[in-house]
Amino acid sequence: MKPCAISPQGRGSLTLSANRTDAVQLAFGTEFPKLPLHRIACIGALLGSQSSSGWQIEALGAPHIGERTEKELIAAFVGKIADLRPQMVTFNGGTFDLPVLRYRAMVHRVAAAGLYARPYFNRYTDDAMDLCDVLAAFDPRAKVKLDLLCKTLGFAGKPGGIDGSQVETYVAEGKIAEVAAYCETDIVNTYRVWLVYELFRGRLSPEAFAGSERNLQEFLSRHLVTKPHLRDLIAESPAQ
């Protein structure tokens, strides 16, 4: 099994369809944009696989529009999904990330059959697990933010200085790398919450959970030279 924690960050990219998108948004008002009007600035993912010592991270990254166009980002991501057919784990992905990804793929006429290799858009399967939705028992009144949940569980949570509401401003100012770094920390936080949930529901033994945490800390430590923004996420796992 290969889960893939994903976190597309929306809005702000300058694409071939930008003028049309801006015109539609203007026509529909200035409130929080409807999902098809968001534009993807980066798509981050963590790829993991299960081993005898728990879960191992195989890759972590967040390609962004400073490196390629929105259409190229989408095509590369859905192509990888088609190749791997992973379980996808997100936080609020069922109501935001995946619908935005589908809408933007349609805007750019990207063929994304890989998104239908498994029932990723079925709310009540584990193929695309939206932790925000699942942990709230599918009741919007019980949803909590990722940062609050992480800190409640004893994790570092989101980095200071940026949150999701600031992504558009950062992109407009050309701070794409900072958005990608923020996206990667969100992915690691989502992954850690998922590990705790797997322990809770008996899919991971306490030994495998502890091993997964050790593997994560080792991965983060090895990549600090190229990913210094992950430093605050290196900490001892909370006592169980």
Side-chain angles (χ1 to χ4, degrees):
M1 179 186 295
K2 290 179 180 290
C4 177
I6 67 168
S7 182
Q9 298 295 330
R11 300 196 67 196
S13 65
L14 299 177
T15 70
L16 294 176
S17 63
N19 291 337
R20 182 174 69 248
T21 300
D22 291 341
V24 173
Q25 182 174 329
L26 182 63
F28 280 86
T30 57
E31 76 279 1
F32 187 73
K34 301 299 183 182
L35 296 187
L37 302 179
H38 287 258
R39 287 167 289 182
I40 296 172
C42 72
I43 301 179
L46 179 157
L47 182 64
S49 60
Q50 201 163 18
S51 70
S52 59
S53 63
W55 283 89
Q56 299 271 4
I57 299 177
E58 298 180 11
L60 171 66
H64 54 76
I65 57 169
E67 304 167 332
R68 59 189 79 171
T69 66
E70 182 187 30
K71 181 176 182 178
E72 290 169 339
L73 282 176
I74 295 169
F77 180 74
V78 299
K80 183 64 70 174
I81 295 299
D83 290 341
L84 299 177
R85 298 167 58 95
Q87 177 191 21
M88 286 195 281
V89 180
T90 66
F91 200 90
N92 206 36
T95 55
F96 185 79
D97 302 67
L98 285 174
V100 168
L101 183 64
R102 177 162 57 182
Y103 281 129
R104 297 308 293 174
M106 292 171 66
V107 165
H108 289 292
R109 307 302 193 265
V110 174
L115 291 182
Y116 292 87
R118 294 175 63 170
Y120 292 127
F121 292 96
N122 188 325
R123 188 179 192 185
Y124 301 108
T125 73
D126 278 356
D127 296 273
M129 181 190 296
D130 179 349
L131 284 170
C132 183
D133 208 16
V134 169
L135 295 177
F138 307 103
D139 185 339
R141 297 170 299 178
K143 287 186 176 183
V144 298
K145 292 187 175 181
L146 179 60
D147 190 45
L148 184 151
L149 179 56
C150 286
K151 289 174 179 174
T152 301
L153 293 174
F155 302 141
K158 291 178 179 284
I162 181 173
D163 60 43
S165 67
Q166 297 169 289
V167 167
E168 183 179 11
T169 299
Y170 269 61
V171 171
E173 293 174 351
K175 298 178 180 178
I176 309 299
E178 286 88 341
V179 172
Y182 165 73
C183 185
E184 288 189 356
T185 62
D186 253 14
I187 294 163
V188 173
N189 282 322
T190 299
Y191 176 69
R192 296 189 82 182
V193 171
W194 175 75
L195 289 176
V196 176
Y197 181 58
E198 291 293 275
L199 172 69
F200 162 76
R201 64 177 184 159
R203 297 281 295 270
L204 272 181
S205 68
E207 295 76 19
F209 172 76
S212 301
E213 272 287 336
R214 285 194 300 271
N215 294 337
L216 169 64
Q217 298 298 327
E218 290 170 3
F219 177 91
L220 296 177
S221 297
R222 289 197 307 271
H223 290 82
L224 279 183
V225 173
T226 56
K227 300 179 184 293
H229 51 278
L230 300 177
R231 183 176 302 278
D232 289 344
L233 302 180
I234 298 179
E236 290 297 322
S237 178
Q240 301 300 318

